[in-house]
Amino acid sequence: MLELKNVRKSYYGSRNALDGVDLAVGPGEIVGIFGENGAGKTTLMKCVLGLLAFDGTILLDGAPVTRKNLARLSFATCEHSFFPNLTPADHRDFYRAQFPAFREKRFRALLDFFSLPEKRPLRQFSTGQKNQFEVILALSQGAEYILMDEPFAGNDVFNREDFYKVLLGILEPTETVLLSTHLLEEVGGFISRAVLLRKGKILQDVSALELDERGEKLVDFVKSSYHYEGDRVSRALSELTGEEDG
């Protein structure tokens, strides 16, 4: 189990990017981390991975995250963590040497699924292809906890929809996914749990089953939780038009 206890993180004396976050994620869950820009989604993932210093406690099966158990976590980020001058084949060889649980069969299957060239340097890939390969590496590392931060930027809707279906088909019961994305409509049927962040705090934490029982779609649940104002666009346009008329 991955546990966060009273986790806090601030940047340069500003308000807390994370403000007392308590969260427990068990094996086999697919957890969506949602929130507006600046809510703390990326900060949360980077704290889990040890990429940022923080206050509080983060435990993996009761032990702190260190070099000894870090391989149990993988990360797909739109900032990219691969080596741009290497090819997918080079990355396969490197990961196979570094991670004993590397899933080569999954790596090859996902490479074929996205139709990515095996012998071309990553720097020659499009943005969408780079993001696809980032996801492939995270899923093939052999990690039990797979963290994804806006992994599908630059990908067309067909690739994204098909990928969700493939991902549901390949994940094993021991694999856990934490997914941060703004694509609420697309992941509503994919996640098993929704965690909403606002100003560094957990605003809501609800299972997909509970939403189904309430007959509530994920996007409507998020809008309601954030008290989204449906007339904000018309009001803004009205004010702008009024200014021009004046």
Side-chain angles (χ1 to χ4, degrees), residues 28 33 46 57 64 81 84 90 116-117 124 131-132 146 152 156 169 181 216 218 220 227 235 246:
I33 309 293
K46 288 185 175 180
T57 304
S81 60
D90 294 330
L116 297 181
Q124 297 179 6
N131 291 337
Q132 290 167 358
I146 303 160
F152 303 114
D156 61 72
T181 180
E216 190 172 9
L218 175 63
D220 295 327
H227 303 295
R235 285 192 286 108

Coordinates of all heavy atoms in Angstrom, one line a residue, residues 28 33 46 57 64 81 84 90 116-117 124 131-132 146 152 156 169 181 216 218 220 227 235 246:
G28 N -3.9 -2.7 -7.1 CA -4.9 -2.9 -8.0 C -5.9 -1.8 -8.3 O -6.7 -1.8 -9.2
I33 N -6.3 11.4 -10.2 CA -6.0 12.6 -9.4 C -6.4 13.8 -10.2 O -5.8 14.1 -11.3 CB -4.5 12.7 -9.1 CG1 -4.0 11.4 -8.5 CG2 -4.2 13.9 -8.1 CD1 -4.6 11.1 -7.1
K46 N 5.5 14.0 -7.6 CA 6.9 14.2 -7.4 C 7.4 13.9 -6.0 O 8.5 13.5 -5.8 CB 7.4 15.5 -8.0 CG 7.3 15.6 -9.5 CD 7.8 17.0 -10.0 CE 7.8 17.0 -11.5 NZ 8.4 18.3 -12.0
T57 N 4.9 12.2 5.9 CA 5.4 10.9 5.7 C 4.8 10.2 4.5 O 3.6 10.4 4.2 CB 5.0 10.0 6.9 OG1 5.5 10.6 8.1 CG2 5.6 8.6 6.8
P64 N 9.8 3.8 4.1 CA 10.0 5.0 3.3 C 10.5 4.7 1.9 O 11.1 3.6 1.6 CB 11.1 5.8 4.0 CG 11.0 5.2 5.4 CD 10.6 3.8 5.3
S81 N 11.2 11.7 -19.4 CA 12.3 11.3 -18.6 C 13.2 10.3 -19.4 O 14.1 9.7 -18.8 CB 11.7 10.5 -17.3 OG 10.9 9.4 -17.7
P84 N 16.8 11.4 -25.1 CA 16.4 11.8 -26.5 C 17.3 11.3 -27.6 O 16.8 11.1 -28.7 CB 16.3 13.3 -26.5 CG 17.2 13.7 -25.3 CD 17.1 12.6 -24.3
D90 N 17.4 1.0 -27.8 CA 18.4 1.3 -26.8 C 17.8 1.3 -25.4 O 18.4 0.8 -24.4 CB 19.1 2.6 -27.1 CG 19.9 2.6 -28.4 OD1 20.4 1.5 -28.7 OD2 20.0 3.6 -29.1
L116 N 5.3 2.7 -33.2 CA 6.5 3.6 -33.0 C 7.7 2.8 -33.6 O 7.8 1.6 -33.4 CB 6.7 3.8 -31.5 CG 5.6 4.6 -30.8 CD1 6.0 4.8 -29.4 CD2 5.4 6.0 -31.5
P117 N 8.5 3.5 -34.3 CA 9.7 2.9 -34.9 C 10.7 2.6 -33.8 O 11.0 3.3 -32.9 CB 10.3 4.0 -35.8 CG 9.8 5.3 -35.2 CD 8.4 5.0 -34.7
Q124 N 13.6 12.6 -32.7 CA 13.0 12.7 -34.0 C 11.5 12.4 -33.9 O 10.8 12.5 -34.9 CB 13.6 11.8 -35.0 CG 15.1 12.1 -35.3 CD 15.7 11.2 -36.3 OE1 15.1 10.3 -36.9 NE2 17.0 11.3 -36.5
N131 N 5.3 11.2 -25.9 CA 4.4 10.9 -24.7 C 4.0 9.5 -24.7 O 3.9 8.8 -23.7 CB 3.2 11.8 -24.8 CG 3.6 13.3 -24.5 OD1 4.6 13.6 -23.9 ND2 2.7 14.2 -24.9
Q132 N 3.7 8.9 -25.9 CA 3.3 7.5 -26.0 C 4.5 6.6 -25.5 O 4.3 5.7 -24.7 CB 3.0 7.1 -27.4 CG 1.7 7.7 -27.9 CD 1.5 7.6 -29.4 OE1 2.4 7.1 -30.1 NE2 0.4 8.1 -30.0
I146 N 2.3 2.7 -10.8 CA 2.6 3.4 -12.0 C 1.9 4.8 -11.9 O 0.7 4.9 -11.9 CB 2.1 2.7 -13.2 CG1 2.7 1.3 -13.2 CG2 2.4 3.4 -14.5 CD1 1.9 0.3 -14.1
F152 N -1.1 11.9 -21.9 CA -1.6 11.8 -23.3 C -1.7 13.1 -24.0 O -2.4 13.2 -25.0 CB -3.0 11.2 -23.2 CG -3.0 9.8 -22.5 CD1 -3.7 9.6 -21.4 CD2 -2.3 8.8 -23.1 CE1 -3.7 8.4 -20.7 CE2 -2.3 7.5 -22.5 CZ -3.0 7.3 -21.3
D156 N -4.1 12.1 -30.3 CA -5.5 12.2 -30.8 C -6.4 11.4 -30.0 O -6.0 10.4 -29.3 CB -5.6 11.8 -32.3 CG -5.2 10.4 -32.6 OD1 -6.0 9.5 -32.2 OD2 -4.1 10.2 -33.1
G169 N -6.9 -4.0 -20.2 CA -6.7 -5.5 -20.5 C -5.3 -6.0 -20.1 O -5.2 -7.2 -19.9
T181 N -5.0 13.9 -14.9 CA -5.4 14.3 -16.2 C -6.5 15.3 -16.1 O -7.3 15.3 -15.2 CB -5.7 13.1 -17.1 OG1 -6.1 13.6 -18.4 CG2 -6.9 12.4 -16.6
E216 N -24.1 9.6 -11.2 CA -23.5 10.8 -11.4 C -22.2 10.6 -12.3 O -21.4 9.8 -12.0 CB -23.1 11.5 -10.1 CG -22.6 12.9 -10.2 CD -22.4 13.5 -8.8 OE1 -22.5 12.8 -7.8 OE2 -22.1 14.8 -8.8
L218 N -18.5 11.5 -13.8 CA -17.3 12.1 -13.2 C -17.2 13.6 -13.4 O -16.9 14.3 -12.5 CB -16.0 11.4 -13.8 CG -14.7 12.0 -13.3 CD1 -14.5 11.8 -11.8 CD2 -13.6 11.3 -14.0
D220 N -19.5 15.8 -14.0 CA -20.5 16.5 -13.2 C -20.1 16.5 -11.8 O -20.4 17.5 -11.1 CB -21.9 15.9 -13.4 CG -22.4 16.0 -14.9 OD1 -22.0 17.0 -15.5 OD2 -23.1 15.0 -15.3
H227 N -17.9 23.8 -7.4 CA -18.9 24.8 -7.5 C -18.7 25.6 -8.8 O -18.7 26.8 -8.8 CB -18.8 25.8 -6.3 CG -19.0 25.1 -5.0 ND1 -20.2 24.5 -4.6 CD2 -18.1 24.9 -4.0 CE1 -20.0 23.9 -3.4 NE2 -18.8 24.2 -3.0
R235 N -21.2 35.5 -18.9 CA -21.0 36.7 -18.1 C -19.7 37.4 -18.6 O -19.7 38.6 -18.7 CB -20.8 36.4 -16.6 CG -22.2 36.0 -16.0 CD -22.1 36.0 -14.5 NE -21.4 34.8 -14.0 CZ -20.2 34.8 -13.5 NH1 -19.5 35.9 -13.4 NH2 -19.6 33.7 -13.0
G246 N -19.1 50.4 -24.9 CA -18.9 51.7 -24.2 C -17.8 52.5 -24.8 O -17.8 53.7 -24.7

